[in-house]
Amino acid sequence: MKNRIKTFVLTGLLVCSLASCGNAQQAENNAQTTAAETLILGQKSEPSEKYTLYLGLNDKDTYEQIISTEEALEKANLICAKYAGGYTQLSARGGWTNDDGTLGHENTIVYLIYDISEENLKAMLDEFLKEFNQSSVLVEKESASHIYYSGN
């Protein structure tokens, strides 16, 4: 009897997990379909990939900002333009708590880029790492839909 109960419970768990996997795949497919069929202001949108890059300006060795924010923006914008067809650049300031409990801050350049090839993205990031002596650049990737609105 004990083995029958165990078998029943395990079978139930297996069925639930398979159903869950199917639902996850179905949800992913629905999300992709929805992104492809989205209307924005009555216009059919284009599906796209949007990357958000966070380039901190503190040097990885000194933990201090060595280059001015203005000079960093000039250099980073040139690098970005070299690899991306277009971009939106924002300036930000990040903060975190260090291991010793002190608060750290860093000026950060944020880029929003649509539909760049992974080859060009990697080349851009490698150049950022070298030019600004960074250990890493935070990269986010998300599926998006967009239109170019030009009025009625």
Side-chain angles (χ1 to χ4, degrees):
M1 181 69 166
K2 208 175 190 180
N3 284 338
R4 275 178 105 183
I5 293 172
K6 283 182 187 176
T7 302
F8 180 74
V9 170
L10 290 174
T11 302
L13 289 172
L14 179 62
V15 169
C16 287
S17 68
L18 288 174
S20 172
C21 289
N23 288 341
Q25 183 63 45
Q26 184 179 1
E28 184 178 329
N29 290 342
N30 288 344
Q32 290 173 349
T33 301
T34 303
E37 297 173 356
T38 299
L39 292 179
I40 302 174
L41 300 173
Q43 293 180 344
K44 185 177 178 191
S45 66
E46 298 178 41
S48 56
E49 294 177 332
K50 179 177 113 177
Y51 292 92
T52 305
L53 315 177
Y54 299 85
L55 172 63
L57 297 182
N58 285 1
D59 183 88
K60 72 176 181 178
D61 298 320
T62 64
Y63 305 107
E64 298 291 328
Q65 185 171 335
I66 296 173
I67 183 173
S68 74
T69 301
E70 294 75 22
E71 187 179 350
L73 283 168
E74 287 178 27
K75 287 183 177 188
N77 286 344
L78 287 173
I79 293 168
C80 197
K82 184 163 103 175
Y83 295 103
Y87 62 87
T88 299
Q89 176 267 308
L90 307 166
S91 295
R93 185 153 171 86
W96 63 91
T97 302
N98 293 308
D99 291 338
D100 63 1
T102 60
L103 187 60
H105 288 98
E106 180 172 32
N107 292 318
T108 302
I109 303 173
V110 180
Y111 287 103
L112 306 175
I113 302 172
Y114 286 84
D115 292 326
I116 185 173
S117 71
E118 287 205 3
E119 180 181 329
N120 281 348
L121 179 62
K122 186 177 180 313
M124 180 191 326
L125 294 169
D126 286 341
E127 198 163 333
F128 281 162
L129 293 175
K130 182 179 178 184
E131 181 67 35
F132 297 101
N133 197 34
Q134 296 294 296
S135 58
S136 65
V137 176
L138 176 63
V139 179
E140 295 177 342
K141 177 183 177 181
E142 51 188 309
S143 295
S145 298
H146 69 274
I147 64 166
Y148 291 98
Y149 180 76
S150 56
N152 295 334

